Amino acid sequence: MLYSSIVFLPLIGAILTGLFGKTIGARKSELITSTLVAISALLSWYVLLNVGWVSGKNDQVIIILKWLTSGALDLSWSIRVDTLTAVMLVVVNTVSAVVHFYSIGYMHDDPSRQRFFSYLSLFTFAMLMLVTSNNFLQLFFGWEGVGLASYLLIGFWHHKESANNAAIKAFIVNRVGDFGFALGIFCIFYFFGSLDFNTVFSNASDLVDKKINIFGNSIGAISFICFLLFIGAMGKSAQFLLHTWLPDAMEGPTPVSALIHAATMVTAGVFLVARCSPLYELAPSIMSFIVFIGATTAIFAASVALVQNDIKKVIAYSTCSQLGYMFVALGVGAYQVGIFHLFTHAFFKALLFLGAGSVIHAMSNEQDMRYMGGLRKFIPKTYILMLVGTLALTGFGVPGLFGMAGFYSKDAIVEAAYVSSLGIGSYAFTMLLVAALMTSFYSWRLIFMTFHGTPRASKEVMSHLHESPNIMLIPLIILVIGSIFSGYVFYDSFIYAGFKEFWASSIFILKDNYILKELHDVSYLIKWSPTIMMIIGVTVAYYLYIRNPHIPQKIAKDQEVLYSFLLNKWYFDEIYNYIFVRPAVLVGKIFWKSGDENIINRFGPDGISKQVVRITKKIVQLQSGLIYHYAFSMIIGLTFIITFYIIVGRGS
């Protein structure tokens, strides 16, 4: 009952507000959905406490109903209860509850907020279905449910063309990854005869020596399966090459950005790889590939964030970069560290997104940082809250003493990359260090451009400048607590002395995987390296945007090519448009003009029907109702028949 309540309470809220929202009113819709998700969040914390520390009951399976039986396929809709599930329940429901209550204030003027809250709760349910799944098919349904809900939320303001385009783009790009994911599931059923996690994971070692032929190349079956699953993770978690949808998704309301890009949809890929650790541990080549993609994503997204002017897009690219960090941790075999960063990241990234929403709310929907400045005097509470989020993101802290949430989790990933036995580990370590410097720079650039200096907004905007109401600020305070203490409190259990007891069998690692032990034994220079990068980043940002604010414009002019390259996001949208979009549109036009209009419409059913109509109209015209017209027609017909028989008779 407990676990079912956690999963289905958000669904109940989504159904009630979706079907009866106009009847019960906006206020009741807000309160119903927010209260139900809050209850689910509190129960999730209880489950984490109970599963992780008190009872230690891992690997429970609670069957809800018999779902599907077809031949060898026998699946139940069930809830898998282990530490990994419990951690994800806390992350999803806590951030979702905070976003729900925040949205009461942020969306108070929107006439369709009943629909908005219904979508939020539906999104939460889909994510809960995903993280509690006990088989790949249920996971896939949750996976697609999250994709559908994100489409609805990103395109919530459907009267805006940009929002519609962003929603479609997110949906299509994710379908690319989902196709790979689906193929991976097909392969799993082909080789294992089951989609149940326990069955697949327990028999994974039997497939180590199994080879399959792909386009004339012999590839390990486990490696091929893991590669396909990771393609799905790349799309959902916006990794390099399948990342283009994420910044465009900022077209949705700011609470959507916090929910999707902090704790739910984008973390689904990280969860998938961690859940499938028994498979990935047997595919070292794919692990190296994951490290490469993660490290490349981290440096790519961080470099683009350096020059973005939209406050939400800076944070969006920051999310993309931090997801790269998480995948590096997964790729080197430090799954616990990756999930630890997912856990801490949810708090401070949601804090930054919602803080940005508070700024936008105060600035009359202005998002361009070039038209802000000096806001700390006008919205001091928001300033302090975002300052905490920035400190957590950049990894503020002192090794061996105390630090913010990101200090413990992000720095641990850098150390894991350093001690990794994979050949690509050195590449990852270097990229993550450079990304850490960039992260510090663009994070403080955001703070300095938004809250410091002289106000650059118009007089009209400044006249309406105001602090956000308490209904928006109180949820941020909850996130502040997580941003400060989540790393320090959970460090020991997640990745240090107590990690074996805490995670139990929810994450599988090989016996020769000692990376969690080794990363704690690195030299002080390595431990201090992320902190040094953080200090350099904030120093440079302070010099450029506080002491000498004219220099950035000069650098942009002097380095116009590089600046344009970064500002245009490495021209990925243009490249994809040239390679994929334009040919697809051209092929579509060919089939439309030549196939549909010229062939089907002219000679097919449509063409035949048009000719029948045309002939019928001509015949109808003969039905004049005048007797002499009919008599004349009869004479003509009789003459034709007589002439015909005379000619035929002569011929015979």
Side-chain angles (χ1 to χ4, degrees):
M1 186 66 182
L2 170 65
Y3 302 104
S4 299
S5 299
I6 293 174
V7 175
F8 289 104
L9 283 177
L11 178 62
I12 293 171
I15 293 173
L16 289 176
T17 52
L19 297 179
F20 310 107
K22 291 186 178 180
T23 304
I24 63 180
R27 177 58 62 183
K28 289 183 179 178
S29 297
E30 294 168 346
L31 293 176
I32 289 173
T33 53
S34 301
T35 302
L36 291 176
V37 173
I39 295 171
S40 185
L42 292 173
L43 294 176
S44 299
W45 279 100
Y46 170 77
V47 169
L48 177 61
L49 179 65
N50 190 53
V51 173
W53 292 282
V54 178
S55 68
K57 292 182 178 179
N58 279 276
D59 290 332
Q60 298 182 76
V61 177
I62 299 163
I63 297 177
I64 298 175
L65 54 86
K66 202 72 171 179
W67 189 19
L68 179 64
T69 301
S70 178
L73 189 63
D74 188 6
L75 298 173
S76 297
W77 187 349
S78 53
I79 298 175
R80 185 182 183 91
V81 182
D82 57 19
T83 306
L84 182 58
T85 299
V87 170
M88 295 301 298
L89 288 177
V90 166
V91 170
V92 172
N93 281 321
T94 302
V95 175
S96 180
V98 168
V99 169
H100 271 77
F101 282 104
Y102 177 92
S103 300
I104 294 175
Y106 191 87
M107 302 291 290
H108 69 98
D109 288 331
D110 197 290
S112 302
R113 56 188 184 278
Q114 299 103 312
R115 177 166 58 90
F116 179 78
F117 278 87
S118 178
Y119 290 170
L120 281 183
S121 292
L122 177 65
F123 189 100
T124 305
F125 166 73
M127 192 66 192
L128 293 174
M129 185 178 175
L130 190 158
V131 300
T132 59
S133 57
N134 189 46
N135 58 74
F136 283 98
L137 188 60
Q138 183 181 331
L139 191 153
F140 186 76
F141 270 84
W143 194 273
E144 293 303 306
V146 168
L148 170 64
S150 69
Y151 170 81
L152 297 173
L153 286 168
I154 295 170
F156 176 75
W157 286 326
H158 51 78
H159 56 275
K160 296 170 58 181
E161 185 179 359
S162 57
N164 289 326
N165 292 338
I168 293 171
K169 186 177 182 180
F171 195 79
I172 292 175
V173 174
N174 272 274
R175 296 293 76 72
V176 175
D178 294 352
F179 180 69
F181 186 27
L183 289 178
I185 294 174
F186 296 154
C187 289
I188 288 172
F189 184 72
Y190 175 79
F191 286 111
F192 295 98
S194 175
L195 296 179
D196 181 76
F197 285 160
N198 289 335
T199 303
V200 173
F201 296 159
S202 61
N203 294 293
S205 58
D206 299 337
L207 222 64
V208 171
D209 297 326
K210 179 73 174 178
K211 301 290 183 180
I212 56 175
N213 190 281
I214 305 293
F215 301 117
N217 298 310
S218 182
I219 302 174
I222 289 289
S223 296
F224 186 62
I225 290 171
C226 290
F227 174 75
L228 292 174
L229 295 179
F230 181 64
I231 294 297
M234 285 177 62
K236 200 65 75 183
S237 294
Q239 291 299 282
F240 187 69
L241 301 179
L242 294 179
H243 65 275
T244 54
W245 68 269
L246 187 137
D248 293 55
M250 296 298 106
E251 290 292 336
T254 301
V256 173
S257 304
L259 188 61
I260 292 178
H261 304 120
T264 50
M265 180 172 167
V266 294
T267 61
V270 179
F271 167 79
L272 172 64
V273 176
R275 174 61 79 198
C276 296
S277 58
L279 299 178
Y280 282 96
E281 281 287 278
L282 304 175
S285 60
I286 305 302
M287 297 284 276
S288 296
F289 179 68
I290 293 174
V291 173
F292 172 76
I293 291 294
T296 305
T297 302
I299 193 70
F300 156 75
S303 68
V304 174
L306 296 175
V307 298
Q308 296 300 309
N309 297 310
D310 187 308
I311 189 172
K312 287 174 65 177
K313 287 191 176 181
V314 173
I315 304 172
Y317 277 108
S318 172
T319 299
C320 189
S321 181
Q322 296 304 305
L323 287 165
Y325 274 81
M326 297 176 202
F327 277 107
V328 168
L330 298 173
V332 299
Y335 306 95
Q336 300 88 340
V337 179
I339 298 298
F340 186 34
H341 193 47
L342 184 156
F343 182 79
T344 60
H345 175 267
F347 294 105
F348 58 74
K349 189 52 59 71
L351 174 60
L352 287 171
F353 267 121
L354 298 183
S358 184
V359 172
I360 296 168
H361 183 266
M363 292 289 294
S364 304
N365 296 319
E366 178 61 69
Q367 296 183 196
D368 196 324
M369 296 185 297
R370 292 172 295 183
Y371 302 104
M372 299 180 183
L375 298 185
R376 72 184 190 280
K377 298 177 181 178
F378 303 93
I379 48 174
K381 296 178 182 178
T382 299
Y383 170 63
I384 294 172
L385 294 169
M386 287 203 70
L387 201 60
V388 173
T390 300
L391 290 170
L393 171 62
T394 57
F396 176 79
V398 179
L401 294 177
F402 178 79
M404 307 290 279
F407 169 79
Y408 290 95
S409 56
K410 190 174 73 172
D411 288 17
I413 295 176
V414 176
E415 294 163 9
Y418 178 78
V419 301
S420 171
S421 59
L422 297 175
I424 202 167
S426 56
Y427 168 78
F429 174 72
T430 305
M431 293 299 102
L432 295 186
L433 273 186
V434 176
L437 189 153
M438 292 180 176
T439 300
S440 179
F441 175 84
Y442 67 66
S443 298
W444 288 106
R445 172 179 177 265
L446 185 152
I447 294 294
F448 295 149
M449 288 185 67
T450 304
F451 296 101
H452 292 261
T454 57
R456 298 180 296 276
S458 65
K459 291 183 178 180
E460 183 181 358
V461 172
M462 295 300 295
S463 64
H464 294 92
L465 200 60
H466 60 283
E467 187 66 90
S468 298
N470 288 332
I471 191 64
M472 293 173 63
L473 294 177
I474 292 174
L476 296 185
I477 294 173
I478 296 173
L479 295 173
V480 162
I481 297 172
S483 300
I484 297 175
F485 297 107
S486 61
Y488 177 78
V489 172
F490 295 98
Y491 175 77
D492 186 77
S493 296
F494 273 60
I495 65 172
Y496 199 42
F499 81 93
K500 289 184 178 180
E501 293 77 15
F502 179 77
W503 292 106
S505 59
S506 62
I507 292 178
F508 173 82
I509 57 175
L510 295 174
K511 293 182 179 180
D512 57 352
N513 187 340
Y514 299 107
I515 193 165
L516 284 188
K517 180 181 181 300
E518 293 173 353
L519 70 85
H520 298 296
D521 297 329
V522 297
S523 65
Y524 276 102
L525 179 61
I526 301 301
K527 287 184 176 295
W528 273 91
S529 57
T531 303
I532 294 170
M533 294 295 105
M534 180 268 295
I535 295 172
I536 295 174
V538 66
T539 303
V540 175
Y542 178 81
Y543 177 80
L544 293 179
Y545 291 94
I546 299 297
R547 298 298 300 271
N548 300 280
H550 64 281
I551 291 182
Q553 292 184 351
K554 185 177 182 301
I555 295 175
K557 289 182 179 179
D558 294 341
Q559 304 293 330
E560 186 176 356
V561 175
L562 177 61
Y563 179 76
S564 298
F565 180 72
L566 297 177
L567 189 63
N568 289 282
K569 302 160 288 188
W570 293 24
Y571 293 103
F572 267 103
D573 284 327
E574 289 78 4
I575 293 171
Y576 283 0
N577 184 63
Y578 185 79
I579 296 176
F580 299 113
V581 178
R582 290 174 62 182
V585 171
L586 179 62
V587 171
K589 285 184 177 180
I590 293 173
F591 279 106
W592 171 36
K593 293 292 186 181
S594 302
D596 189 42
E597 291 188 354
N598 294 337
I599 298 176
I600 296 176
N601 289 351
R602 184 174 297 179
F603 304 107
D606 290 346
I608 294 172
S609 65
K610 288 179 180 178
Q611 293 301 323
V612 170
V613 171
R614 189 178 294 111
I615 294 170
T616 303
K617 286 182 178 179
K618 296 293 184 182
I619 294 174
V620 168
Q621 291 176 359
L622 299 176
Q623 306 293 322
S624 63
L626 299 176
I627 295 177
Y628 69 87
H629 283 175
Y630 298 154
F632 180 73
S633 299
M634 292 174 64
I635 292 171
I636 295 281
L638 184 62
T639 303
F640 175 79
I641 294 172
I642 292 172
T643 304
F644 175 80
Y645 275 104
I646 291 173
I647 294 173
V648 172
R650 286 181 179 179
S652 61

